[in-house]
Amino acid sequence: MMKDRLGPTAALADVARIGPFFALDTDPDIAGHPLWRPFTELAGRALPDQIAAVLARLGVGERRVAASLLFQGIAGRLWSPVLATAVEHDVVPDLDPARTYWRAASPGPVLLAAP
């Protein structure tokens, strides 16, 4: 059966129904919102703060455990919507780090957006 061809925004909205790890906000106003920051910042100067937040939230004594869990969560959040739209709609969204945004959510996974 041939699937209807959707654009990236509609395809992302469709796969978001699978669950929170598949949700990727596409609201264009996010780019200017103070709580949303470019993904390049998470890979840079914000990373130590996010690791410390996971460390405190989990109450584990080893920083490397918190860093590993943060990485796994972010990787899952990045790849889940990409793979789901590829499989379900034959569309691969462009998640260029300079145009992808993140927001800390406590407790819970980092929120992502690609306006």
Side-chain angles (χ1 to χ4, degrees), residues 41-64:
E41 191 176 304
L42 179 58
R45 66 180 184 218
L47 187 58
D49 290 342
Q50 291 306 304
I51 293 170
V54 171
L55 187 68
R57 188 167 60 237
L58 296 177
V60 296
E62 291 194 49
R63 187 171 169 78
R64 65 187 177 98

Side-chain angles (χ1 to χ4, degrees), residues 25-33 101 114-115:
D25 202 324
T26 57
D27 182 351
D29 292 335
I30 283 174
H33 194 282
Y101 293 80

Side-chain angles (χ1 to χ4, degrees), residues 14-111:
D14 182 60
V15 300
R17 68 179 161 56
I18 298 170
F21 265 77
F22 295 86
L24 186 69
D25 202 324
T26 57
D27 182 351
D29 292 335
I30 283 174
H33 194 282
L35 293 178
W36 289 92
R37 300 186 277 183
F39 192 75
T40 52
E41 191 176 304
L42 179 58
R45 66 180 184 218
L47 187 58
D49 290 342
Q50 291 306 304
I51 293 170
V54 171
L55 187 68
R57 188 167 60 237
L58 296 177
V60 296
E62 291 194 49
R63 187 171 169 78
R64 65 187 177 98
V65 171
S68 178
L69 291 172
L70 177 64
F71 171 78
Q72 290 175 38
I74 292 169
R77 289 287 294 118
L78 281 171
W79 280 110
S80 295
V82 171
L83 292 175
T85 57
V87 169
E88 291 290 317
H89 298 288
D90 202 26
V91 172
V92 179
D94 177 11
L95 297 185
D96 178 336
R99 294 188 318 263
T100 302
Y101 293 80
W102 71 281
R103 189 177 99 189
S106 183
V110 168
L111 301 174

